[in-house]
Amino acid sequence: MDVASAQLEAQVARLWEEYESLPDEDQARYVEARLPDPSLRSSLTAAAKRALDVVAALGGLAVALPLAPFVILAIRLDSKGPAFFSQVRIGRNGRRFVIYKLRTLSSDSPAYTVTPTREEDYRLTRVGRTLRRLGLDELPQLWNVLRGEMSLVGPRPEMPFLVDTYSPLQRLRLRVKPGITGMWQISPYRNEPIHHHVEYDLHYLLHPSLLLDLRIALRTFGVLSRTKPGRG
């Protein structure tokens, strides 16, 4: 772990220690009171973030589209079922939207169940394992980014049945637009349930910046080059 990563982990750990020492009913209020106040600066940051999302999504789709027919063919030849997978997720402020992915699981897998995080999961197809290892299964979500339902970086959106179990503290992660990648994906706990380590998303909420987004994006590529990042 490099120095910057170690510092980030230390900051997240301190945040966890601060709110974990409080009674459950006070934890959400403690974090909420520390959220940045809306300001002109934050509005400009949000506008710049949206502009970068659109430019990056358009660029990513331009690169991916020529390869799409070959990937789709590989998925269809490898296993029965459609090449694409869609699912309802919960976005900013609890708004439901349909997320898109390249299908990596067998077509008879339940639509709403805990997402596999390990390559040994029997539900994964052969092509699906490769797509997940390379992070290519998430590329269709660039369409979600263009539609304004997601951002490139942000808390990972979860399925409704999981959000229904959220504590007030966990529900704070719904304050911002969900992302294709985020703090959890680059954390040491990326192969564990997202909402079990909400401290990473809370840190993201408390320190919004384009620089942090860039650091997360770059570290995501680093994680992909070494191992499969956590998914949701």
Side-chain angles (χ1 to χ4, degrees), residues 163-201:
V163 176
D164 287 343
T165 68
Y166 273 11
S167 68
L169 182 70
Q170 292 167 334
R171 293 195 70 85
L172 290 178
R173 66 192 305 275
L174 303 178
R175 291 291 187 91
V176 296
K177 195 177 293 185
I180 295 178
T181 188
M183 289 281 294
W184 170 76
Q185 281 93 330
I186 62 171
S187 78
Y189 306 102
R190 57 185 170 269
N191 287 323
E192 298 181 19
I194 300 172
H195 53 283
H196 287 186
H197 294 281
V198 71
E199 62 270 19
Y200 287 91
D201 289 332

Side-chain angles (χ1 to χ4, degrees), residues 111-175:
Y112 292 91
T113 186
V114 177
T115 304
T117 56
R118 303 189 183 281
E119 289 194 10
E120 297 78 14
D121 194 293
Y122 71 93
R123 295 172 293 173
L124 288 168
T125 64
R126 289 173 298 178
V127 171
R129 286 188 175 89
T130 300
L131 292 175
R132 288 173 63 85
R133 190 182 306 119
L134 299 175
L136 297 178
D137 59 314
E138 310 286 3
L139 283 178
Q141 288 159 48
L142 293 173
W143 177 244
N144 291 112
V145 173
L146 283 180
R147 287 169 55 90
E149 298 161 332
M150 294 180 65
S151 178
L152 293 177
V153 179
R156 191 67 184 152
E158 291 211 279
M159 291 173 276
F161 79 91
L162 291 172
V163 176
D164 287 343
T165 68
Y166 273 11
S167 68
L169 182 70
Q170 292 167 334
R171 293 195 70 85
L172 290 178
R173 66 192 305 275
L174 303 178
R175 291 291 187 91

